Amino acid sequence: MLVCPTCGTELLRKNRLLLLAVGGAMITAAAFALLVPALLVPAILLVIVGAYLIVWATLGKAMWCRNCKKFPLF
């Protein structure tokens, strides 16, 4: 059982491969959305959220604190 270094509650484990796949798919979809000028703002949002998911899966080891609402960087 892993605990949050900030608040001491138990960390939830998410599927790391799924987070990487969804983050990569979001960035890929954003690349296609950049071809249409009207989709520029949604494409930027897709890149930001996709990058967040990839960082969470790699640096955060797909762990999530339910109490703090953040992922710890070990």
Side-chain angles (χ1 to χ4, degrees):
M1 178 175 99
L2 296 171
V3 296
C4 177
T6 305
C7 67
T9 58
E10 185 178 357
L11 293 173
L12 298 174
R13 182 178 296 263
K14 300 293 183 181
N15 188 345
R16 185 182 255 182
L17 186 60
L18 184 63
L19 288 173
L20 285 172
V22 170
M26 290 176 92
I27 292 176
T28 304
F32 288 119
L34 286 175
L35 299 175
V36 180
L39 297 177
L40 182 62
V41 174
I44 292 170
L45 292 174
L46 279 174
V47 168
I48 291 171
V49 173
Y52 179 83
L53 290 176
I54 291 173
V55 168
W56 179 21
T58 54
L59 295 179
K61 297 182 175 76
M63 300 292 218
W64 181 256
C65 179
R66 196 179 286 180
N67 195 19
C68 297
K69 305 291 189 234
K70 58 185 172 183
F71 59 88
L73 296 176
F74 296 117

